Amino acid sequence: MAIQWYPGHIAKAERSLQEQLKRVDVVFEVRDARIPLSTHHPQVPQWVGSKAKVLVLNRMDMISPEVRQQWEDWFIEQGETPYFTNAQQGQGVAEIARAAQKVGAEVNEKRRTRGLLPRPVRAVVIGFPNVGKSALINRLLKRKVVDSARRAGVTRSLRWVRISDQIELLDAPGVIPSQIKNEEKALKLAICEDIGEAAYENQEVAAALVEFLLDLGLEKKLGDRYKLAVDDMTGVLYLEQLAAHSYQNDIERTSRHILNDFRKGLLGALPLELPPD
């Protein structure tokens, strides 16, 4: 199975984004805390260049505090400080605003040394589709000014929004590589809805979810919810058994149910990735 999704509005927005980045002081890179490696766009370092960058791991509520600590320790070892947020509820957003203000103070100090007047710091929020960029902007603004929904592709054009006298923010559509060469990453993006649903088949993605949870030793969460232990079954076999057990042999309905339960957190706070050993 090859999962590929690169709609026209993303290609257009990416070109516009690269032009607007020339005006930006700080880049907020938003990733999905469940899959922080898979939601890293390989071109981000090139886009950021020498600008300041703030790494935001959104959906902190969908992983356990223990996993969050593991990721924080790992990123710090890599020389980067992650900021964890739950943009829907507003957790961690104040720290993001303070990080932007700190960068703004540094930018204006440099301007003063060159005899220039201070100006609002210009920030951009970038990341894969549906990782919570628009929800984060609405929380920073303390009001809804950009559309936000639990699906990929809601934001389709770039838009500048003034947060305060100190910060101007550019809301950009989700950006995704034109080709996803790593099939495991593509499956994780599909499971977490960070890629358009037209790109994949529910049954194949749900089977992959079962396999990932097995690999992480989290298969008990499936048994607890569906009253059917995974044991040594493959993902495909588990879907077939569960369909026969609870869904009148309807494997498509079973697959949608499992995926929806994971996406809503009904299976628990479950990561699909842990820091590399």
Side-chain angles (χ1 to χ4, degrees):
M1 180 184 64
I3 295 177
Q4 297 296 335
W5 185 70
Y6 195 67
H9 77 271
I10 285 184
K12 180 180 177 182
E14 192 172 305
R15 291 191 294 271
S16 300
L17 174 62
Q18 291 184 52
E19 187 63 33
Q20 291 288 350
L21 278 167
K22 298 171 185 175
R23 305 176 55 201
V24 165
D25 304 306
V26 58
V27 175
F28 290 102
E29 184 196 2
V30 184
R31 304 192 203 177
D32 189 322
R34 296 169 295 181
I35 49 171
L37 298 182
S38 294
T39 45
H40 171 58
H41 197 299
Q43 287 182 268
V44 164
Q46 176 187 329
W47 292 338
V48 173
S50 60
K51 302 178 191 298
K53 191 189 87 167
V54 176
L55 174 62
V56 180
L57 300 186
N58 191 41
R59 299 202 177 101
M60 61 182 279
D61 55 309
M62 302 197 80
I63 60 173
S64 69
E66 293 77 17
V67 171
R68 194 185 317 156
Q69 188 62 56
Q70 288 179 42
W71 277 117
E72 182 173 354
D73 294 343
W74 185 83
F75 275 110
I76 289 173
E77 285 177 6
Q78 311 308 306
E80 195 162 18
T81 300
Y83 290 80
F84 288 87
T85 61
N86 172 0
Q88 287 295 334
Q89 300 298 322
Q91 291 170 277
V93 173
E95 287 83 354
I96 301 299
R98 283 195 287 272
Q101 289 165 355
K102 181 181 177 183
V103 172
E106 293 168 356
V107 166
N108 282 315
E109 182 59 34
K110 291 178 182 176
R111 288 177 64 84
R112 272 190 288 272
T113 61
R114 301 202 308 268
L116 300 172
L117 292 172
R119 62 159 173 77
V121 63
R122 295 169 184 153
V124 63
V125 180
I126 63 174
F128 275 62
N130 197 36
V131 294
K133 301 180 302 298
S134 295
L136 178 65
I137 290 172
N138 289 333
R139 283 289 175 180
L140 286 166
L141 287 163
K142 299 180 181 177
R143 63 187 187 279
K144 183 176 180 180
V145 294
V146 294
D147 290 331
S148 172
R150 204 198 80 182
R151 66 179 189 277
V154 173
T155 303
R156 289 179 169 260
S157 59
L158 278 74
R159 176 185 176 187
W160 281 98
V161 183
R162 175 162 284 200
I163 290 182
S164 66
D165 291 340
Q166 290 82 37
I167 306 174
E168 289 179 347
L169 201 59
L170 179 63
D171 180 28
V175 288
I176 197 166
S178 57
Q179 285 192 321
I180 304 172
K181 297 179 181 178
N182 184 306
E183 192 61 30
E184 182 177 312
K185 288 185 177 182
L187 286 164
K188 290 174 181 176
L189 292 170
I191 291 167
C192 295
E193 282 189 304
D194 297 331
I195 194 170
E197 62 183 356
Y200 58 85
E201 298 292 334
N202 287 320
Q203 293 181 36
E204 291 168 299
V205 171
L209 170 59
V210 175
E211 298 278 358
F212 288 139
L213 295 180
L214 268 166
D215 290 343
L216 293 168
L218 298 170
E219 69 276 9
K220 186 175 183 296
K221 298 289 186 177
L222 294 167
D224 289 347
R225 179 152 183 86
Y226 303 118
K227 311 306 178 191
L228 179 66
V230 179
D231 295 328
D232 56 354
M233 284 188 266
T234 64
V236 171
L237 183 57
Y238 186 75
L239 290 182
E240 292 173 353
Q241 294 290 323
L242 183 58
H245 183 265
S246 304
Y247 297 94
Q248 293 78 49
N249 288 308
D250 189 335
I251 298 176
E252 177 65 19
R253 182 179 160 215
T254 306
S255 301
R256 289 198 307 269
H257 198 158
I258 287 180
L259 288 171
N260 206 41
D261 282 355
F262 174 82
R263 291 162 178 171
K264 289 184 174 181
L266 298 177
L267 292 175
L270 300 179
L272 291 186
E273 290 177 343
L274 293 175
D277 290 332

